[in-house]
Structure formats: structure tokens, C-alpha cells
């Protein structure tokens, strides 16, 4: 097959036109074709066929065994499903008894699971109520401690305030006594007219 140059190539000296000319010249002369074939890579169709590798054969066998095991498992599963469906559609007397026993066992298991779930829910509720009661009691104890501490603090604060008031009153009394003593010690002190109009 001759490779044609692209239509967008208008120049006769382009690479595509060179390839085209080279292909035409190699097909025209056999000796030139042999020399050109030695320079360029051979076609994939002319390459010698490689022998299969031992590792590739083992991998293929392993893959085949794996796929075969999957197919067998799927076929067995389908057979079991079909056998169960046929047993349910056209059961014999023994199979009917087996189905009834299986249904009874399933119902008993479901009832037992429901009872266990109810018991667990009741236990959880009791644990939650106990934890809530402990939390309430602890909160009450903490609040009582806070009230007691606040009462003691207020009592101590009132005592301190009383002591402060008494100290201030004593201080005022002492200041007043000192002022009276100082006034009496003045040379112009008159007991009759002091603190009236002469001051």
C-alpha cells in the first residue's frame, strides 16, 4: 500500500512528499527495496512469531482455574436456589414438615430476639434513670453546699460590716473628744460663749 502525502502539503520538498517519493522508488526496484528494508523497521506482519512463555502459560492456567471456580460456585448457587424454589412450589410431605419446622424456628428466633431487645431497652432505661437520679442528687448536694457557703460568707460579711461601723463610730468619738480637748486648751476659750456667736 502506497502512503499518500496529506492534502494540506503543497510543497514538493516537504517531508511527506519525500516519504511518498521514497515509497514509489522502493516499489519500482527490487534491489533498492532490499536495501531500504534493512534500514527501516519491518512490518509487524513480517516479524517472526515468538514462542509462548512458561510464566504466561502458568498465569493463564491460574486465571482459567479461578474463572472456572467462580463459574462452578455460581452454578451451585443457582442450583440451590432452583431446588429451594421447587421445594416451596411442589413440596412433598417431608419437605412440608421441614418448611413448617424452619418457619417455626424462624418465628421463635424472631420472638426471642424481640424479647432480648425489650429487655435490653428496659435495662438501658433503668441505667439512664439511675444515672439521671445520681446527677440530680449530686446537683442538689452541690447547690446545698453553695447555699451553705454563701450563707456563711454573708454572715461573715455582716460581722465585718458591724465591726467596721463600730470602728468608724469609735473613731468619730475619739476625734470629737480630741477636738473638745483641743478647744478647751485654747487661751481664748469661754465655756459660756463657746460655739455660739463668738466663734
Amino acid at each position: 500500500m502506497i502512503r499518500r502525502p496529506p492534502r494540506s502539503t503543497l510543497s514538493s520538498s516537504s517531508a511527506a512528499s519525500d516519504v511518498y517519493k521514497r515509497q514509489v522508488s522502493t516499489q519500482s526496484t527490487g534491489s533498492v527495496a532490499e536495501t531500504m528494508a534493512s534500514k527501516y523497521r519491518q512490518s509487524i506482519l513480517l516479524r517472526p512469531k515468538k514462542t509462548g512463555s512458561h510464566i504466561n502459560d502458568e498465569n493463564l492456567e491460574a486465571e482459567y482455574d479461578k474463572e472456572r471456580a467462580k463459574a462452578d460456585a455460581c452454578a451451585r448457587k443457582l442450583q440451590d436456589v432452583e431446588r429451594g424454589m421447587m421445594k416451596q412450589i411442589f413440596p412433598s410431605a417431608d419437605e412440608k414438615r421441614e418448611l413448617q419446622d424452619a418457619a417455626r424456628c424462624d418465628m421463635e428466633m424472631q420472638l426471642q430476639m424481640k424479647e432480648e431487645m425489650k429487655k435490653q431497652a428496659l435495662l438501658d432505661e433503668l441505667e439512664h434513670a439511675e444515672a439521671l437520679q445520681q446527677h440530680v442528687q449530686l446537683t442538689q448536694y452541690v447547690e446545698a453546699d453553695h447555699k451553705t457557703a454563701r450563707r456563711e460568707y454573708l454572715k461573715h460579711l455582716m460581722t465585718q460590716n458591724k465591726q467596721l461601723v463600730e470602728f468608724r463610730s469609735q473613731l468619730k468619738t475619739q476625734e470629737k473628744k480630741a477636738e473638745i480637748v483641743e478647744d478647751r486648751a485654747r487661751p481664748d476659750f469661754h465655756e459660756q460663749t463657746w460655739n455660739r456667736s463668738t466663734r
Side-chain angles (χ1 to χ4, degrees):
M1 181 178 178
I2 299 174
R3 182 178 175 185
R4 299 292 181 180
R7 294 179 179 271
S8 61
T9 306
L10 301 177
S11 175
S12 59
S13 62
S14 62
S17 62
D18 292 341
V19 172
Y20 174 68
K21 292 175 183 178
R22 199 179 305 121
Q23 288 175 352
V24 173
S25 63
T26 53
Q27 287 184 358
S28 61
T29 58
S31 60
V32 177
E34 293 176 357
T35 56
M36 295 295 289
S38 63
K39 293 182 180 179
Y40 295 98
R41 189 174 180 181
Q42 293 182 354
S43 174
I44 193 171
L45 299 175
L46 301 177
R47 293 177 192 170
K49 186 176 180 181
K50 293 183 179 180
T51 57
S53 175
H54 181 64
I55 299 175
N56 291 336
D57 293 339
E58 290 180 355
N59 291 336
L60 287 174
E61 290 177 359
E63 290 292 333
Y64 175 76
D65 293 338
K66 191 185 294 184
E67 294 295 330
R68 187 55 182 251
K70 287 183 180 179
D72 294 340
C74 186
R76 286 194 298 271
K77 188 175 180 181
L78 290 175
Q79 288 177 2
D80 294 338
V81 172
E82 185 179 0
R83 196 179 298 111
M85 291 177 65
M86 293 300 294
K87 186 185 291 185
Q88 290 180 358
I89 295 172
F90 303 107
S92 62
D94 296 334
E95 292 175 350
K96 282 182 179 180
R97 281 194 295 273
E98 290 179 1
L99 290 173
Q100 289 176 359
D101 294 338
R104 190 180 300 107
C105 291
D106 291 339
M107 289 179 65
E108 290 177 355
M109 288 179 62
Q110 290 180 1
L111 289 174
Q112 187 177 1
M113 289 176 62
K114 285 183 179 179
E115 291 294 332
E116 290 179 356
M117 289 174 64
K118 286 181 180 179
K119 289 180 181 179
Q120 188 64 32
L122 183 60
L123 290 175
D124 294 340
E125 188 175 356
L126 290 174
E127 290 179 358
H128 179 69
E130 186 177 358
L132 184 61
Q133 186 178 3
Q134 291 179 359
H135 178 70
V136 170
Q137 290 178 356
L138 181 62
T139 305
Q140 290 177 355
Y141 292 154
V142 171
E143 288 179 356
D145 292 340
H146 287 176
K147 287 181 180 178
T148 305
R150 184 173 179 81
R151 194 179 299 112
E152 293 293 333
Y153 172 73
L154 291 175
K155 186 177 179 181
H156 177 70
L157 189 62
M158 289 175 65
T159 305
Q160 293 290 328
N161 288 335
K162 286 181 180 180
Q163 292 178 0
L164 183 61
V165 169
E166 290 176 0
F167 175 74
R168 285 180 178 175
S169 62
Q170 291 177 3
L171 186 63
K172 285 183 178 179
T173 305
Q174 290 176 2
E175 288 179 355
K176 193 170 183 180
K177 287 180 179 180
E179 186 178 356
I180 291 172
V181 170
E182 185 181 357
D183 288 341
R184 286 181 179 178
R186 291 178 60 183
D188 56 347
F189 175 75
H190 296 285
E191 191 174 355
Q192 297 292 331
T193 61
W194 185 249
N195 287 337
R196 291 186 183 176
S197 62
T198 59
R199 188 173 179 177

